[in-house]
Amino acid sequence: MSTLFESITLRGVTIPNRVWMPPMCQYSAEPEGPLAGAPHDWHFAHYAARAAGGTGLVIVEATAVSPEGRISPYDLGLWNDTQVEAFRRITRFLGAQGTVPAVQLAHGGRKASTDRPWKGGAPVGPEAHGWQPLAPSAVAFDERHPVPSELSVDQIQEVVGQFSAAARRALAAGFEIAEIHGAHGYLINEFLSPHSNHRTDAYGGSYENRTRFALEVVDAVRAVWPEDKPVFFRISATDWLQDGGWTADDTVRFAHDLHTHGVDLLDVSTGGNVSGVTVPTGPGYQVPFAARVKAETPLRVAAVGLITEAGQAEKIVKNGEADAVLLGRELLRNPSWARHAARELGGEVRVPDQYHRSL
């Protein structure tokens, strides 16, 4: 049987296969009003299609823990109970298809308050539903972005509380797994990297200080998340800088810390925190970072990054480079990728009765 289509159990949650959907923002929520940040028909159809297509785990896009934590004004959120109720429709359907529903809890930090990518993705102000971004240090991401407001220690603790409250709402909404977004240059990643964290207090400087905020968030989420349900952490394994940034060595060290604090799986990506850096992309270009974490730490690992072919995905899991693969753009192109891969590899995947004629 195909290794890619073997189930995997994390704590008390069994995921039917190793073909997973990573968080991919849809930038389609209402920006203001009583339904701001709540999923609607587009989100339901988007996630439902991947579940019907056989994807074992769907991680719902970066979902903000506060209004100012959104990457764009059009992002989803879990800062109120109206959003909880709207998410229940999605989690119920995913579960009914045998797909495990997960959600990524996020704060955009200094990269928040930007327009939708197809509108250029530039920072937006109050006239376009925008706001003043927050960050560990008053250092802009690039020349286009405004200088963010540096968080006080009290504000840092407030954000930790927002992650905790969002996790409680995620549980009430029916999610089985909570993923903490610590990658791609958003708030937690900004604290981790010396490139973006210039603080001189207990949250900056040394490795221990720069990782303090992330571990406080993990502890806050783990404290309200049931013992029998997993917590994931998404990380950028490197800033892709020669000097002065977060490194693969830091990631391995931090993975040990995350394991001690109750994280079950590291979702390994790279980059996003440094503007203009050269990233050597190619098929599976981020897999070696995931493989190193898996080889050198006790954490389970998921790999991501230009994984497109069934044989390629099978090899990654079978060779022990990762426990699962996350297909982003490929699942946007083909919601039924898992079913097609199972047919190619000789694996088994649940097919809705309504689609029996496709077998």
Side-chain angles (χ1 to χ4, degrees), residues 105 107 109 163 180-183 185-193 210 213-214 217 233-234 254:
L105 304 178
H107 193 297
F163 271 93
I180 298 165
H181 196 355
Y186 300 120
L187 186 63
I188 292 176
N189 191 186
E190 293 163 18
F191 271 91
L192 293 175
S193 174
R210 286 183 285 108
F213 172 63
V217 169
F233 191 98
R234 188 166 223 196
F254 189 49

Side-chain angles (χ1 to χ4, degrees), residues 110-129:
R110 66 178 183 171
K111 292 174 72 175
S113 189
T114 58
D115 207 348
R116 290 169 288 194
W118 55 87
K119 296 287 188 179
V124 295
E127 73 287 348
H129 312 295

